[in-house]
Amino acid sequence: MEPGPWGVCEETAILHGGFLLAARLTQPRPLRELRKADWPRVGPPITDALGEIGTRCPSPLQHSLWKKEAVAIVWAKVLLPAPPAASLDQGWEQDDFFSVGRMIPDLNHTVLFELVKALGAPQLFVQLLLALPRDVCRSELEHLVEYIAGETSPSDIRFFLDVWWEVMKHKEGQEDSTVSMFSTLIRQHGCETSLDDGLQPPKRFKGDPGSLNDTPAATSLLMVLIEGLKQTYRSITLPRMKCYALANLVELLSVFTELEPESSPLPVTEYLDKISCVVSLWTRDTESQFHHRELDEKVKEAERSLNLLSMVRLSREELFVGLGFLCSLLHAWEEELQGTLNSSEELCYETYRFLDTLATFGKKLVCFSESRDLGEDETYVVLELTQITKRFLKEISVSLKGKDLDASLVSSVAMTIIEQKLDRHVEMCSIFVSEKTWAFSKDWVDCLVKNKALFQKPELVLKLLKMLVNFATSRQDKEAQELQMQVTKAIVECYTELSLADKNKVISGVLASWGGPGLSLNLQVVMEGFQEDLNVTFNQITKSVSDQGLTRAVASVARLMLLYPEATVKQVCNLAVVNLGAHQFLAQILCSFPALSFLETHNDPGRPCSLVVRCLEEAVWGRISTVREEEQFLEFLAFLMQPSSAAPLVSPAEVTKAFVLPYLKSDSAQIELSLQILSKVLGVQSCSEEHWIKSCHPFPLLLSLCKLLDGYTKYWHQPRDQLFPSLETKDLLQNILCQLCEVVRPETVPSPELWVQSLAWLHRKVALLDWTIGLRLKKLYGDHFKNEVPATLFEICTLPEDEWTSQPLPAYGLGSGLLAWMECCCVSTALRETMLTLLTVNVDNPEEVNLFSKGFLVALIQVLPWCSHSEWKRLVHVVENLLERQILHVPYTLEYVQYMPLLNLRPFACYLQFSVLFLRGFQLLCSSSCSTWLPAEAWLHVVQLYCSTMTDLLGSIKNTAGPPLHPAEDRTSTQEVSFICIQMFCHLLHVAAMLPNKECGEPLVVVALEILSQYEAFSSADTSPSNTLRRANERHFLESITDNVGDEALRGTLLQKLSKLGARSAGEPA
């Protein structure tokens, strides 16, 4: 039966029997008058009763609880004698202790103290003592001192010193139910206590029983202990007990006074050594009360002895009383103890503790004397005590570390602290993961597996991983592999429970230690099944991008990232490119691991390289095969450089050095993708004051781009088997050059002098290239260099000489001014507007206008094949501007007009002239004089530019005319638009008929069909009476023109379209 709250049970009945037998043995005196000398005769029945209760308890813990219960009952009986008979009726109802109290005869302190001595239970005695009200507690301790001081025996001395030691080791807040009930019981009866018992009723009772913080009562409690030693020290004869007494006194004066500085705790290794040493001493010492205890009990007790808490401090006066007493004791016992200690082969615990505390005390004394303002008498005491302490320790030859401290014992102690979660178990985990000599023993592995939760810290996981790798490289046998598996599993489980930030710390450590391969470099167990695990994990992620939360996906990848970072990153990079639509989600996953911004050195510390960039190079670069993959790669890269809510994983500089600089050659297969990447990175804002472009050799980079741009001047004459970026890339290249001129500023070079030198170097190099390239660098050049153009440009422009200068160019002879002017218009929108403003044409001189118009057409045809789409759009704007200003003369002939149209064509004159200008241009371009000028592949580009302009013209015509209206609404320029569409259609077919390359038909078909669709929309909206006849005549005319087209595919498609127009026209009402 378990002990109840003072309830009567089988165990209390046995205890009752023991006391009845003891009471008979004391007759005729009652037990409350028992003397110390009578205990050997009277005590056995009581201790036998407790022994019998112990045999009935199912566990040692239950037995210890009953010991405490018995001592509490006895002590309560001592403090609370039997109530008068008149209160019996009330006692049954109100007093929880009534039943048990009536069973036990009245007792005195002799029974209490001798019982506790017999049980060897000073700790539980102190627990109950300190649960008493303050005044009662002090009184009871004084009773103990008085008891010990009379007829003192060696066992009395031991008991007193044990109680003292337990008082100092006591920690509040660890009271069990028995202690709490005992405290409550005494407090409930406190005011009723008879004054004859020597117990003054306390003025008030605190909720925190016996708190050591209550001064001055708490410090007076400590002084009672010192007073007790003063009264009994002459009875201490054994050197061992003298060391014990001195250790207690020194510890009290060290910890519970102002000598104790606000210092940090012992280093954990020293702390472990001390506990191990104490355990070792107890294990060897057969006289120690802890000799037969299990290891975990020894470790717990040793830890208690090292973790004294200074809850209260003696006053300065009390301190010096204690110091004076200590000084006299050391003087009295010095010679005897020195002789005993030096002649002893081994330390016992008491001597070890005395020497250890004395050494610490000596250091504190020195600090105290140096940091406090002491009086003359105080200085004398401190100085004398310091000298005697030094002298005593100097004469002692024995080592405090003990002999042959077994390494296996130290490891067992550490593991016990961890498993029992004792006070400094967290710090002990750091030693556990660092001591290579302990690692991978059976106990070590068991401790790790059982206590995984304690190792869930990034620094511990990292140390365990290093330990694991060291073990794996030193042992490869079957047993070692099994241990590896166990430990790897435990470590991965610890890692899995970490926060994402802590996981990144671990990954950083793994990369710093083993680089990209991570653990796979040395752990074969990691590689077993890894690839399958990798594939399964990413299959699940990529199949449910929209459903699976980012947190879950990151958690899945984190484990793979720990085991084999490089392979995991490569898998992410590869899937980001080939898996449609998954690139942004995968980029988010990757950016969740900022640890991957790790820089590898690869035996070249001066040129570190990003792990992620290398993985991109090896897993993706050179394998991109479709436009979609290129787009995903670019977006993936952009996200890594500028994630929405994380730190960038790669820098623009790293990307530029890896994917741009090595490939800026016209014959590189990756040149176009590299330029797209460069455009992306230039759009990334610099995170620091110093722009990232500074580290990417900006001036050589500019020169490389200029050389690429220069290559376009020979674009159509490059060897067919030679790689060169397409004309579509020319616009991108020009934009990049413009972006670079914006970001490359004087701040991007170390000094102003170097900036000027760099500009001069670039200017010299660019002077060897096409002259228009220098114009593109004007923003970079600033006022350092003027715009250098062919001299003939000055013939048609009024160029300010402070900004412009001429240079002799053999290719630009007489009459080439318009060509140079038009090339300037292609460079940029701003320069185009400048050229239009500075152009000088005398419109009052017919001959000059005619010459200008003919020269313009020739120059336009010369420039057209080399134009990119953006350049051509700028020239189209030039044509429109000159036509609107009537500087450019384009007469409109009537070759495709059957009759004089009585229409208002003035709003559309510019579009008609533009169409005719194109026709005249192609007539010149396709003439015999120019037949060999362009290679076959150039014609498709020319036709594409022409078709894009015709499409834009159609849109402009529609905007000018407005949408075709329904019959009920006002008539608009439907006939005019229909007429213009017919003219453009005829001009288009004329151009198609002249083209030497018949493979250019597809874009022409598309535009021709667009023209016919627009014609149909506007002609069908015409509600005039003659509309039906006019549409029939126009359709017949269009069919006759189309019949003459030589290209069968083009002719067939257009006739089919015209037949549908005719069918709809026939179905309309007349």
Side-chain angles (χ1 to χ4, degrees), residues 32-333:
R32 66 172 177 269
E33 296 177 8
L34 185 73
R35 293 172 302 191
K36 185 187 292 189
D38 296 330
W39 177 257
R41 179 172 54 86
V42 175
I46 301 173
T47 54
D48 289 347
L50 284 172
E52 185 179 346
I53 291 173
T55 61
R56 294 167 180 262
C57 291
S59 67
L61 175 63
Q62 198 74 15
H63 187 200
S64 66
L65 289 174
W66 261 109
K67 281 184 184 179
K68 189 180 293 186
E69 180 93 4
V71 173
I73 291 171
V74 170
W75 207 335
K77 191 65 182 175
V78 171
L79 294 175
L80 307 174
S87 64
L88 288 179
D89 292 338
Q90 291 181 343
W92 283 107
E93 299 174 0
Q94 300 174 3
D95 189 354
D96 291 333
F97 186 64
F98 184 84
S99 299
V100 174
R102 295 290 292 179
M103 292 176 66
I104 306 298
D106 289 345
L107 306 172
N108 64 1
H109 284 92
T110 301
V111 176
L112 171 64
F113 297 147
E114 291 296 337
L115 177 62
V116 175
K117 279 170 59 180
L119 293 175
Q123 184 178 354
L124 69 84
F125 176 82
V126 169
Q127 287 175 346
L128 294 170
L129 172 71
L130 296 179
L132 294 169
R134 286 174 300 169
D135 294 341
V136 178
C137 174
R138 185 177 185 280
S139 175
E140 290 300 288
L141 191 58
E142 288 173 344
H143 274 296
L144 174 63
V145 169
E146 183 184 353
Y147 181 79
I148 296 297
E151 302 176 29
T152 306
S153 67
S155 63
D156 288 337
I157 294 296
R158 163 66 78 172
F159 179 51
F160 170 67
L161 295 176
D162 284 345
V163 168
W164 183 343
W165 185 212
E166 287 298 333
V167 167
M168 291 195 293
K169 290 190 289 185
H170 180 76
K171 290 182 182 178
E172 294 181 5
Q174 298 180 348
E175 295 80 9
D176 60 13
S177 58
T178 300
V179 175
S180 298
M181 287 187 295
F182 175 71
S183 174
T184 303
L185 175 69
I186 301 304
R187 287 166 187 279
Q188 285 174 346
H189 292 78
C191 293
E192 302 164 8
T193 303
S194 170
L195 296 180
D196 294 337
D197 296 327
L199 298 176
Q200 295 295 329
K203 296 178 182 178
R204 62 185 178 88
F205 297 115
K206 293 178 67 70
D208 183 9
S211 173
L212 286 179
N213 284 322
D214 303 328
T215 56
T219 56
S220 65
L221 197 67
L222 298 177
M223 289 305 294
V224 169
L225 294 171
I226 296 177
E227 187 60 34
L229 184 57
K230 283 183 177 180
Q231 294 180 30
T232 58
Y233 79 92
R234 291 183 181 84
S235 302
I236 304 175
T237 57
L238 296 175
R240 182 170 187 157
M241 289 300 99
K242 289 181 179 180
C243 287
Y244 194 178
L246 285 170
N248 280 358
L249 181 57
V250 170
E251 197 105 59
L252 188 152
L253 295 173
S254 291
V255 178
F256 297 89
T257 66
E258 57 186 290
L259 286 182
E260 175 71 358
E262 296 296 329
S263 58
S264 56
L266 279 176
V268 68
T269 50
E270 187 178 340
Y271 177 80
L272 176 59
D273 285 343
K274 284 198 173 189
I275 291 182
S276 302
C277 191
V278 169
V279 171
S280 176
L281 290 170
W282 283 339
T283 303
R284 292 202 302 266
D285 186 1
T286 54
E287 294 182 27
S288 170
Q289 59 177 317
F290 300 107
H291 175 70
H292 296 291
R293 301 277 186 93
E294 296 295 329
L295 178 63
D296 58 337
E297 292 181 85
K298 290 176 182 174
V299 172
K300 282 181 183 178
E301 190 58 35
E303 192 182 55
R304 282 185 70 224
S305 69
L306 287 179
N307 292 341
L308 303 187
L309 297 177
S310 175
M311 303 302 294
V312 296
R313 291 176 185 256
L314 295 177
S315 67
R316 174 71 70 91
E317 183 181 354
E318 291 170 330
L319 168 63
F320 277 90
V321 168
L323 292 177
F325 178 46
L326 174 61
C327 194
S328 64
L329 275 183
L330 286 172
H331 276 302
W333 291 346

Side-chain angles (χ1 to χ4, degrees), residues 409-429:
L409 173 64
V410 178
S411 66
S412 298
V413 167
M415 291 178 213
T416 301
I417 292 173
I418 291 170
E419 288 172 354
Q420 299 293 323
K421 296 182 178 60
L422 302 183
D423 279 355
R424 297 184 71 176
H425 69 277
V426 173
E427 296 168 89
M428 209 56 63
C429 290

Side-chain angles (χ1 to χ4, degrees), residues 839-978:
L839 179 67
T840 56
V841 180
N842 185 3
V843 293
D844 295 328
N845 185 336
E847 185 178 352
E848 186 173 334
V849 172
N850 275 324
L851 283 172
F852 171 78
S853 301
K854 289 177 183 178
F856 185 89
L857 181 62
V858 173
L860 186 67
I861 295 308
Q862 283 180 279
V863 172
L864 172 61
W866 278 266
C867 280
S868 65
H869 284 277
S870 294
E871 290 173 329
W872 179 243
K873 283 188 180 297
R874 293 190 192 105
L875 285 185
V876 167
H877 176 82
V878 169
V879 173
E880 290 174 347
N881 180 277
L882 295 176
L883 286 173
E884 288 172 0
R885 292 163 57 191
Q886 297 185 11
I887 295 175
L888 180 62
H889 177 57
V890 183
Y892 195 85
T893 58
L894 303 177
E895 53 198 302
Y896 293 108
V897 180
Q898 291 178 292
Y899 52 87
M900 182 64 66
L902 302 176
L903 304 169
N904 179 21
L905 297 176
R906 186 169 295 280
F908 308 100
C910 182
Y911 309 127
L912 284 171
Q913 287 178 299
F914 214 135
S915 183
V916 170
L917 182 67
F918 267 128
L919 177 59
R920 300 293 174 248
F922 272 100
Q923 284 175 331
L924 178 59
L925 198 57
C926 299
S927 64
S928 58
S929 59
C930 299
S931 58
T932 59
W933 186 48
L934 285 180
E937 55 270 18
W939 283 101
L940 178 60
H941 175 67
V942 171
V943 169
Q944 286 173 337
L945 293 179
Y946 167 63
C947 289
S948 69
T949 307
M950 293 297 278
T951 301
D952 292 342
L953 280 177
L954 279 175
S956 299
I957 292 166
K958 188 175 180 179
N959 291 335
T960 302
L965 302 175
H966 293 291
E969 301 179 31
D970 294 336
R971 175 182 172 275
T972 57
S973 307
T974 53
Q975 291 182 27
E976 285 84 348
V977 175
S978 298

